[in-house]
Amino acid sequence: MDAREMKIKAAEAALAHVEGGMRLGIGTGSTAEEFVRLLAEKVAGGFRVEGVPTSERTARLCVELGVPLRSLDELPALDLTIDGADEVDTGLRLIKGGGGALLREKIVAAASERMIVIADESKLVEMLGAFALPIEVNPFGLVSTRIAIEKVAARLGLSGELVLRQSGDGEFTTDGGHHILDASFGRIPDAEALSSELNSIPGVVEHGLFINMAALAIIAGPAGVRTLQANR
């Protein structure tokens, strides 16, 4: 299987967890988009769900394919969220935000009874951090926020470049109007400590460490699909 085929296999396995009538959080990214395409085929055949998208990009695809959408204000409590990840470890800690939707992704996941992560096996790691950690920041006071993040990283023994994400001729702007600093730490031995420290910085809106959120990870590889269960 090539990379796309693996993503489709993971999405197919996740779709089996979706029941008719569910209030469904719908993730962002290439694997999540394969899930949307499969879901749309079932909807076209009469399957009923209501979806809450985690980004404008996902919302556009759902509208294009005919998946019914509501806002999170209209459906504030969701049954299930299905989303991809940039990295997932065996404890189901995640790094997300490569597509820039991490804030809405985390809000939607937190509003859900369960979160299922779908990914190809290239995203499965022993320790998070090879993928640069996205940190969503308020544009106001950006330099001060960057310095605060660097100090936190140093206290935790982390080092690496913080790069302001670019798009076109300027800074990348999230759906919420914020910027993203991508932190290339390499390895994050204590993701829980880093998450707590980043949450204490006023200029940090959110970060891409998703801890104790995923209940199940569906990982597709050349040998087939396997699932990882959260131990909590």
Side-chain angles (χ1 to χ4, degrees), residues 169-219:
D169 296 328
E171 293 86 359
F172 175 85
T173 302
T174 69
D175 287 342
H178 307 123
H179 294 330
I180 289 181
L181 289 169
D182 289 307
S184 298
F185 292 134
R187 290 169 68 85
I188 304 173
D190 192 341
E192 287 83 358
L194 179 58
S195 173
S196 178
E197 291 279 5
L198 291 174
N199 286 336
S200 72
I201 299 172
V204 171
V205 178
E206 193 47 85
H207 56 77
L209 289 169
F210 283 51
I211 298 172
N212 295 327
M213 301 193 81
L216 192 73
I218 297 174
I219 309 295

Side-chain angles (χ1 to χ4, degrees), residues 22-43:
M22 271 190 167
R23 299 159 296 177
L24 186 66
I26 304 175
T28 296
S30 59
T31 309
E33 287 176 1
E34 299 298 348
F35 171 78
V36 171
R37 293 185 180 96
L38 294 172
L39 178 64
E41 292 177 7
K42 287 197 69 173
V43 168

Side-chain angles (χ1 to χ4, degrees), residues 10-175:
E12 286 175 344
L15 189 59
H17 292 265
V18 180
E19 300 174 3
M22 271 190 167
R23 299 159 296 177
L24 186 66
I26 304 175
T28 296
S30 59
T31 309
E33 287 176 1
E34 299 298 348
F35 171 78
V36 171
R37 293 185 180 96
L38 294 172
L39 178 64
E41 292 177 7
K42 287 197 69 173
V43 168
F47 190 71
R48 296 179 62 83
V49 293
E50 292 182 300
V52 172
T54 56
S55 67
E56 298 302 321
R57 171 179 160 181
T58 294
R60 287 191 294 269
L61 181 62
C62 288
V63 169
E64 176 187 335
L65 297 179
V67 176
L69 295 182
R70 303 283 293 275
S71 72
L72 191 58
D73 287 334
E74 292 172 313
L75 295 179
L78 304 177
D79 300 302
L80 175 66
T81 285
I82 294 178
D83 204 349
D86 298 300
E87 283 188 343
V88 52
D89 71 11
T90 55
L92 299 198
R93 303 174 192 87
L94 316 173
I95 285 182
K96 291 179 52 57
L102 61 107
L103 175 60
R104 293 191 184 184
E105 287 174 332
K106 193 172 280 190
I107 291 172
V108 169
S112 303
E113 287 292 323
R114 297 177 72 225
M115 178 186 186
I116 295 177
V117 176
I118 51 176
D120 65 85
E121 70 176 15
S122 70
K123 307 298 176 62
L124 185 61
V125 298
E126 290 186 8
M127 182 181 293
L128 299 178
F131 189 91
L133 175 65
I135 304 172
E136 189 162 341
V137 294
N138 196 300
F140 178 82
L142 179 59
V143 174
S144 294
T145 300
R146 180 197 292 267
I147 291 170
I149 294 170
E150 289 171 344
K151 289 180 178 178
V152 160
R155 285 200 299 271
L156 295 174
L158 302 172
S159 61
E161 191 175 11
L162 296 179
V163 176
L164 183 63
R165 190 178 295 186
Q166 302 292 307
S167 177
D169 296 328
E171 293 86 359
F172 175 85
T173 302
T174 69
D175 287 342

